Amino acid sequence: MAAPTRTRKRPEGYWPLLVRRFTRHRLAMIGLGVLLVLAVLALAAPRFAPYGFDEQDGAILGQPQPPSHTHLMGTDQLGRDAFTRVLFGARISLAVGLFSALLATGLGTLIGALAGYYRGWIDNVLMRLTDVVLCIPLLPLIILLSGMLRPSVPLLVGIIGILGWMGTARLVRGQFLSLREREYVEASRALGGHDRRIMFRHMLPNALGPIIVSTTLSVGSAIMLESALSFLGLGVQPPTPTWGNLLNYASQWLTNAPWLALFPGLMILMTVLSVNFLGDGLRDAFDPRS
């Protein structure tokens, strides 16, 4: 009688294994869920919002009203619904955070890849440039540029993105310095592979893990910067709401109407915490030894 044959289990692929590791991180899953809900609410704000973001209730002008069944988060002095303005504010704050982080990651990845792959004088020039920019105090420079130029969403994205690439550049440089000595890179170079193909077809995919983690953490920092600028009156100008300028307006009513500051502040806190939890989960998934 022949012995029963055992079927060998196929080894799990890289991406399914990555997803399984990530889904085991409970805080990361909670953070991802919160961010998805916020993104849906922000994108569909005109559908979910009960009023226009600048619509006034003439019957309650002059004094902020507390939360009620009619106005879930209360109203401000001009009779505008706070819930509506928080929803519309999410669109600006999340957009600035996401796109400025993507811009900073793109610039940092390009500079770090060039420095790590070519080394020599190119590495020296690019890293000394990075060191110089790192020595410049970021927030005062952003405040100065925002004060000199007319604040707008594209301007904020450009300023925060262009001045926030240095950490990613140093991270990618370290990855490329390690990867350029691997066998598959040497084999591609021996077969006549072009530098651009080797860098972005073979090396960059193997450095995506740390880059993705860095990008998620940059989103939280960008949201905090945008909120700080808007709080100081140097971000997107009223009547367009952002979480930062809602806090700026609410600072006049902290004693009589604390709910005006409570809800946008909670949204900033929840978003930044969720982004950080997401980054921790991605870091553990890409590098379980950490």
Side-chain angles (χ1 to χ4, degrees), residues 85-98:
R85 292 179 65 75
V86 166
L87 276 185
F88 277 90
R91 308 180 89 179
I92 304 297
S93 296
L94 293 177
V96 170
L98 176 63

Side-chain angles (χ1 to χ4, degrees), residues 136-156:
I136 301 173
L138 182 60
L139 185 57
L141 180 59
I142 292 177
I143 291 174
L144 176 63
L145 292 175
S146 298
M148 293 172 57
L149 304 172
R150 182 180 177 85
S152 64
V153 174
L155 177 65
L156 288 178

Side-chain angles (χ1 to χ4, degrees), residues 93 222-232 243-245 247 268:
S93 296
I223 290 174
M224 292 293 290
L225 273 175
E226 184 279 327
S227 300
L229 289 173
S230 296
F231 179 79
L232 295 173
W243 290 338
N245 64 28
L247 284 176
I268 295 173

Side-chain angles (χ1 to χ4, degrees), residues 249-263:
Y249 177 82
S251 63
Q252 311 169 40
W253 298 94
L254 288 178
T255 302
N256 298 327
W259 58 86
L260 293 178
L262 175 64
F263 294 112

Side-chain angles (χ1 to χ4, degrees), residues 2 4 25 52 75 81 96 103 129 146 156 184 194 209 222 230-231 235-236 241 256 259-260 286:
H25 199 293
T75 67
D81 182 65
V96 170
L103 176 59
L129 173 63
S146 298
L156 288 178
Y184 62 86
H194 193 273
S230 296
F231 179 79
V236 178
N256 298 327
W259 58 86
L260 293 178
F286 279 107

